[in-house]
Amino acid sequence: MSDPIKLLIVDDHPVVRDGLSSMFARDPEFTVVGEAADGAEAMRLAEALGPDVILMDLRMAGMDGVTAIGELTRRGVPARVLVLTTYDTDSHVLPAIEAGAIGYLLKDAPRDELLRAVRSAARGEVALSPSVAARLMSRLRTPAPSTGPLSQRELEVLRLVAAGNTNREAAARLFITEATVKTHLLNIYAKLDVNDRAAAVAEGYNRGLLAAPERP
């Protein structure tokens, strides 16, 4: 029998934390190793307790969830973060995913769906609620206009690609996930009106977004 999945529950409402803890306590497949009321406490406990999965709310007093997720990613904390919140708008979903969350669920998710999502997150697999998955797919199918300027992060990704970095290497250098790098590349392709990495780099030089390589 494999070891139980270690959980850290982060929410600023004690009733929510108690309810989640009780739910997971009934299943021997999981063990709750700690609870936190804000992002700062979550970071301290994540480093001290070594959870496999962190259930993270977004809007909390003190340090918010997105900031905490980004800081956990930057520090290289190996725990997978699964967002559990009541908000599914672009302004909440996209920053959380870009910060490094591996999944995003809504608090009205059925118990079985939540358990499956935690198992998936523990395996390193993406876990999204249906509404969030649909929203992300819609964003990918409706790329930004090709005339729009590249964001600072997109420029950083393009420069790393031009320097020969793989998606994984670029993700490690920028402290973001490989999936986030791929999302940035899709946006870059759309904005530069190209279809692949090589064409994006060539167009980057053509538009002056990349400094021409120095000649020996």
Side-chain angles (χ1 to χ4, degrees):
M1 183 176 177
S2 59
D3 293 333
I5 296 170
K6 295 180 292 183
L7 285 169
L8 173 61
I9 296 173
V10 186
D11 195 291
D12 60 348
H13 292 96
V15 172
V16 173
R17 296 197 305 271
D18 290 346
L20 289 170
S21 293
S22 297
M23 184 187 74
F24 285 107
R26 294 196 297 269
D27 193 320
E29 192 177 352
F30 307 96
T31 180
V32 177
V33 296
E35 299 179 13
D38 64 24
E41 187 179 10
M43 288 195 302
R44 290 193 297 271
L45 292 179
E47 292 183 319
L49 301 175
D52 301 307
V53 176
I54 301 173
L55 281 176
M56 180 82 73
D57 192 14
L58 291 183
R59 297 182 67 173
M60 297 177 287
M63 182 183 291
D64 65 87
V66 171
T67 301
I69 295 167
E71 186 63 18
L72 288 166
T73 301
R74 188 187 69 80
R75 294 186 183 187
V77 175
R80 275 72 181 244
V81 179
L82 179 60
V83 172
L84 185 63
T85 187
T86 56
Y87 307 97
D88 67 348
T89 63
D90 282 358
S91 62
H92 291 94
V93 174
L94 299 177
I97 298 297
E98 289 191 347
I102 198 170
Y104 197 111
L105 284 187
L106 301 181
K107 287 182 177 178
D108 61 1
R111 176 180 180 274
D112 288 346
E113 182 181 334
L114 177 54
L115 297 184
R116 283 196 302 271
V118 172
R119 293 187 194 103
S120 295
R123 293 192 298 266
E125 299 170 0
V126 173
L128 300 173
S129 70
S131 65
V132 170
R135 186 175 294 278
L136 292 176
M137 288 300 296
S138 176
R139 290 278 299 194
L140 292 176
R141 289 170 179 163
T142 311
S146 60
T147 55
L150 298 190
S151 69
Q152 184 60 41
R153 179 64 88 189
E154 288 163 355
L155 282 172
E156 291 171 342
V157 169
L158 183 60
R159 287 166 184 155
L160 288 172
V161 168
N165 292 273
T166 65
N167 288 356
R168 179 172 296 181
E169 290 167 342
R173 287 175 176 269
L174 296 175
F175 301 104
I176 57 179
T177 65
E178 192 171 348
T180 300
V181 170
K182 292 178 181 177
T183 299
H184 285 313
L185 283 172
L186 288 174
N187 290 336
I188 291 169
Y189 297 165
K191 290 180 179 181
L192 299 184
D193 195 22
V194 298
N195 296 315
D196 57 43
R197 298 163 70 92
V201 171
E203 186 63 17
Y205 284 122
N206 183 50
R207 296 193 185 193
L209 300 174
L210 299 170
E214 295 181 4
R215 297 184 178 182

